[in-house]
Structures are given as structure tokens and as C-alpha cells.
């Protein structure tokens, strides 16, 4: 009788917790990028952030949405992918604007005696150039949008043709979550190459770690496809490796920076 009397309280409470967990899944993935976005806007320098992180997340979430058409999974995960794609496009827009502006300012300083018309026209790099050396370092945000649309169209058409194949659908799901599990690898490689985490938001990585831990626990408790849980665990390990880098490089003596160099000229991923 006592247990039945508490049902009026426990049932709505459980529903509230379920809604809260679903909301955290949908919007929690974009929260780590807020401090990084603010840092880039404040410093007008995007060298510390690898835009290949955006590439990884765009590919992963596009594939996850396509996977949903072959094998339905939790709706919050579908909405999370849509929100993440929009967020990564915003990050790319900011990084592109900042990088192009810094390159233009550097060119103005280098050619102070040149004509203004020559200074205002930096070398434009487009994804239609098919130059692998400048891949994902294009001069216009619309180049990124066109590339994402082209990839979505090709991947969507292939999925449409093979949607009845269980092997294809499961492989697509694995590729989606495995690509997302590699999210931190571009940042990990960038930090290792520069032997520094300068410009990278530690708050972002801490939020990655906490969010990925929560996400992995959500996968395990809700019995989603096995690919999600395995790759979630891998993602947590990569996050911990980046935090270890931050700790290690922070305890090294800083290298003296050359006076002629400018932060905007540093090449990052």
C-alpha cells in the first residue's frame, strides 16, 4: 500500500529524469565547444583549435543520420546529430573568418608599400581545386558547406541503394560511431606535433571527457547498438590522453618565441 501511495511521486520523477537525460544527450554534445568558440572570438586566433575536429564530427553525424534510416535508434541521438552538425558549421565559419582575416593582416604588414588592390586579394583556396595540401583549409565558408552537401548527397545515394543490406547498415553504423570516437585524434596529433596545448581550451576537453563518460553510460543503460558503447569507451580514452598531454606540456619550460613570428602565421591542422 505504501509503495502504491508513492507511485504518484515516483512515476513523474522517473519521467522527469528520463527527459533530463534525453535533453542532456541532445544538447550536451555542443556545450564543450562554447568556451572554445568564445576563446577564438576573444583572441581572434584559431591556431590552437584543429578544424579537423569539425570534419570528424560532420562525417560521423552525417553517417549516423543515414544509419538511422536503416536501423532506428534512440530519438535523442538523432537530434544530437542534427544539432552537432549545425554547431560544427558555426565553428568552421568562425575559424575560417578569423584565419582569412589574420592572413590578410599579415600580408598587409609584409607588403606595406604595395598597392591596396594587391593586398586585399589573398590567394583563394577552394575545395574544387582538389589540392590535398590545402584540404579543409579553404578560404570561404561556402566551400565547406558545398563539400558537406556533396558528401551527404553521395553517402545518401549509396545508402538508398544498399538500405536493404543488413551488412551495409551495420557497417554504416560502425563507421559512424568509430569516426566519432576519433574525434579527439586530430587535436591529439596537433598537440603532439607542436609539443604544446596553447590555444586549446582545457574546459572544452574536460567537457568532452565528462560528456563522453555520460554518453557511454547512457548507451550501456539503454541497450543501444553495440557499436555505440564500444566506440564511446574508445572516445573516453582519447579524451584522457589529451588531458595527459595538457598536464605534461604544462610542466615543461616554455620555448622562447622568435620575435619575428606572429601567432596568426603558425600553421595548425
Amino acid at each position: 500500500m505504501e509503495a502504491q501511495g508513492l507511485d504518484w511521486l515516483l512515476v513523474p520523477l522517473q519521467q522527469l529524469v528520463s527527459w533530463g537525460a534525453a535533453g542532456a544527450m541532445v544538447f550536451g554534445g555542443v556545450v564543450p565547444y562554447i568556451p572554445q568558440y568564445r576563446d577564438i572570438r576573444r583572441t581572434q586566433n584559431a591556431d590552437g583549435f584543429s578544424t579537423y575536429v569539425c570534419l570528424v564530427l560532420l562525417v560521423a553525424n552525417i553517417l549516423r543520420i543515414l544509419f538511422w534510416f536503416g536501423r532506428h535508434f534512440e530519438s535523442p541521438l538523432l537530434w544530437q546529430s542534427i544539432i552537432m552538425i549545425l554547431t560544427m558549421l558555426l565553428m568552421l565559419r568562425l575559424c575560417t573568418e578569423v584565419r582569412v582575416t589574420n592572413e590578410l593582416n599579415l600580408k598587409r604588414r609584409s607588403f606595406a608599400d604595395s598597392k591596396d588592390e594587391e593586398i586585399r586579394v589573398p590567394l583563394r583556396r577552394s575545395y574544387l581545386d582538389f589540392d590535398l595540401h590545402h584540404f579543409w583549409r579553404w578560404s570561404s565558408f561556402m566551400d565547406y558547406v558545398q563539400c558537406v552537401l556533396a558528401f551527404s548527397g553521395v553517402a545518401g545515394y549509396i545508402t538508398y541503394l544498399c538500405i536493404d543490406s543488413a551488412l551495409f547498415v551495420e557497417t554504416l553504423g560502425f563507421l559512424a560511431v568509430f569516426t566519432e570516437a576519433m574525434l579527439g585524434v586530430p587535436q591529439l596529433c596537433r598537440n603532439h606535433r607542436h609539443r604544446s596545448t596553447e590555444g586549446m581550451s582545457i574546459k572544452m576537453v574536460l567537457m568532452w571527457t565528462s560528456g563522453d563518460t555520460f554518453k557511454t553510460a547512457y548507451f550501456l543503460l539503454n541497450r543501444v547498438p553495440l557499436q555505440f558503447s564500444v566506440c564511446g569507451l574508445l572516445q573516453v580514452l582519447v579524451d584522457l590522453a589529451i588531458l595527459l598531454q595538457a598536464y605534461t606540456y604544462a610542466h615543461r619550460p616554455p620555448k622562447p618565441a622568435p620575435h619575428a613570428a606572429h601567432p596568426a602565421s603558425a600553421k595548425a591542422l
Side-chain angles (χ1 to χ4, degrees):
M1 294 292 294
E2 184 178 352
Q4 293 178 351
L6 291 176
D7 284 348
W8 67 273
L9 177 62
L10 294 178
V11 172
L13 185 60
Q14 290 174 352
Q15 188 67 42
L16 186 62
V17 171
S18 177
W19 288 345
M25 282 300 302
V26 173
F27 298 102
V30 306
V31 173
Y33 299 96
I34 296 176
Q36 185 70 70
Y37 186 93
R38 295 179 63 184
D39 286 348
I40 294 173
R41 290 203 62 173
R42 177 176 54 84
T43 62
Q44 288 298 295
N45 191 336
D47 291 334
F49 176 72
S50 173
T51 53
Y52 282 90
V53 170
C54 300
L55 173 62
V56 170
L57 279 175
L58 285 169
V59 171
N61 285 282
I62 289 170
L63 293 179
R64 187 198 285 183
I65 291 174
L66 295 176
F67 176 53
W68 182 85
F69 287 99
R71 182 178 175 184
H72 287 5
F73 48 79
E74 295 283 323
S75 296
L77 296 177
L78 178 63
W79 283 105
Q80 181 197 53
S81 293
I82 297 172
I83 298 297
M84 184 62 74
I85 289 172
L86 296 176
T87 302
M88 289 302 101
L89 290 176
L90 286 175
M91 288 292 296
L92 279 174
R93 181 178 181 180
L94 175 64
C95 291
T96 304
E97 290 175 351
V98 168
R99 187 181 69 249
V100 171
T101 300
N102 287 341
E103 288 176 354
L104 182 58
N105 290 338
L106 183 63
K107 190 172 183 180
R108 283 174 175 169
R109 286 193 297 272
S110 301
F111 299 94
D113 298 329
S114 301
K115 293 183 179 180
D116 191 59
E117 289 79 11
E118 298 178 8
I119 300 172
R120 289 181 178 275
V121 186
L123 180 63
R124 188 182 186 280
R125 298 187 291 267
S126 169
Y127 88 101
L128 292 177
D129 296 335
F130 300 106
D131 186 349
L132 293 180
H133 182 68
H134 295 298
F135 177 75
W136 211 247
R137 283 185 59 83
W138 301 312
S139 303
S140 171
F141 171 66
M142 288 308 299
D143 286 317
Y144 293 96
V145 174
Q146 292 171 20
C147 182
V148 170
L149 291 176
F151 173 78
S152 301
V154 172
Y157 182 68
I158 295 174
T159 302
Y160 173 76
L161 294 177
C162 305
I163 196 68
D164 294 328
S165 170
L167 177 61
F168 173 82
V169 172
E170 293 301 324
T171 302
L172 183 64
F174 174 77
L175 289 176
V177 292
F178 182 75
T179 304
E180 185 177 359
M182 296 295 102
L183 161 65
V185 172
Q187 192 69 51
L188 188 75
C189 294
R190 186 256 170 214
N191 296 341
H192 177 72
R193 188 173 68 252
H194 292 273
R195 292 291 191 273
S196 170
T197 57
E198 183 179 359
M200 181 192 74
S201 172
I202 301 298
K203 293 179 182 178
M204 178 186 71
V205 183
L206 288 172
M207 290 180 182
W208 275 357
T209 308
S210 59
D212 292 337
T213 303
F214 170 82
K215 181 172 64 178
T216 304
Y218 182 90
F219 292 160
L220 293 171
L221 293 174
N222 285 273
R223 298 180 180 180
V224 299
L226 182 62
Q227 300 101 315
F228 286 85
S229 301
V230 173
C231 293
L233 291 171
L234 179 59
Q235 203 166 351
V236 173
L237 294 178
V238 174
D239 296 339
L240 293 175
I242 296 176
L243 289 175
L244 181 61
Q245 280 184 327
Y247 176 81
T248 302
Y249 297 147
H251 288 76
R252 287 185 178 180
K255 294 181 180 179
H259 295 291
H262 185 268
S265 64
K267 184 179 180 182
L269 280 174

